[in-house]
Amino acid sequence: MLYPLINNGHIPVIASVAADEAGQSYNINADTVAGELAASLGAEKLILLTDVAGILEDRDDPNSLVKETDIEGVKKLIAEKKVAGGMIPKVNCCLRAIEQGVRTASIIDGRVQHSLLHEIMSEEGLGTMITA
């Protein structure tokens, strides 16, 4: 359903709302939707733009940013309760996307001017990059 739009040069905007058989609407976590779409489209990279710097080694220390980690590293951070609250669905969707073939997933700070361009166009990037 998305391929005709993409192939014709359109950028689809997808609302993370779904309905059951009875028509009841449900709000679906947008990070989850993005991760599943990235995997189903065979994306090379998933980028989640958020309002935090990325994964922090110490949630109370903004200078403790984890710049790069792999699946095992993220699972360790979760087990150690260093990933909590709203970061859990973000990190879980990154893990699921990578497990389904996406090569890297990054969580970057959308409050930083041009953060998306910096992430895509530079070698160092911003935020946290998770790899297989």
Side-chain angles (χ1 to χ4, degrees), residues 5 10 19-20 120 131:
L5 293 171
H10 298 282
D20 64 15
I120 296 169
T131 62

Side-chain angles (χ1 to χ4, degrees), residues 15-112:
S16 58
V17 177
D20 64 15
E21 297 82 19
Q24 174 66 42
S25 296
Y26 295 95
N27 181 25
I28 301 171
N29 182 290
D31 297 324
T32 302
V33 172
E36 293 299 316
L37 279 170
S40 69
L41 292 170
E44 183 174 321
K45 183 172 187 69
L46 168 66
I47 300 173
L48 300 180
L49 209 57
T50 187
D51 64 350
V52 295
I55 299 173
L56 301 177
E57 181 74 29
D58 175 352
R59 286 181 285 167
D60 298 323
D61 180 5
N63 295 316
S64 67
L65 179 66
V66 176
K67 295 289 286 173
E68 187 173 339
T69 188
D70 60 14
I71 291 173
E72 293 309 314
V74 169
K75 288 180 179 179
K76 182 180 176 197
L77 290 167
I78 292 170
E80 294 171 348
K81 307 275 190 230
K82 293 181 178 180
V83 175
M87 286 298 284
I88 291 173
K90 289 179 187 340
V91 168
N92 283 337
C93 96
C94 291
L95 291 177
R96 183 159 161 78
I98 290 170
E99 289 167 348
Q100 294 181 79
V102 175
R103 292 175 66 190
T104 65
S106 295
I107 301 171
I108 65 171
D109 192 343
R111 301 170 300 179
V112 175

Side-chain angles (χ1 to χ4, degrees), residues 103-123:
R103 292 175 66 190
T104 65
S106 295
I107 301 171
I108 65 171
D109 192 343
R111 301 170 300 179
V112 175
Q113 189 173 23
H114 308 300
S115 59
L116 185 57
L117 288 174
H118 197 303
E119 179 67 25
I120 296 169
M121 305 300 280
S122 74
E123 289 294 319

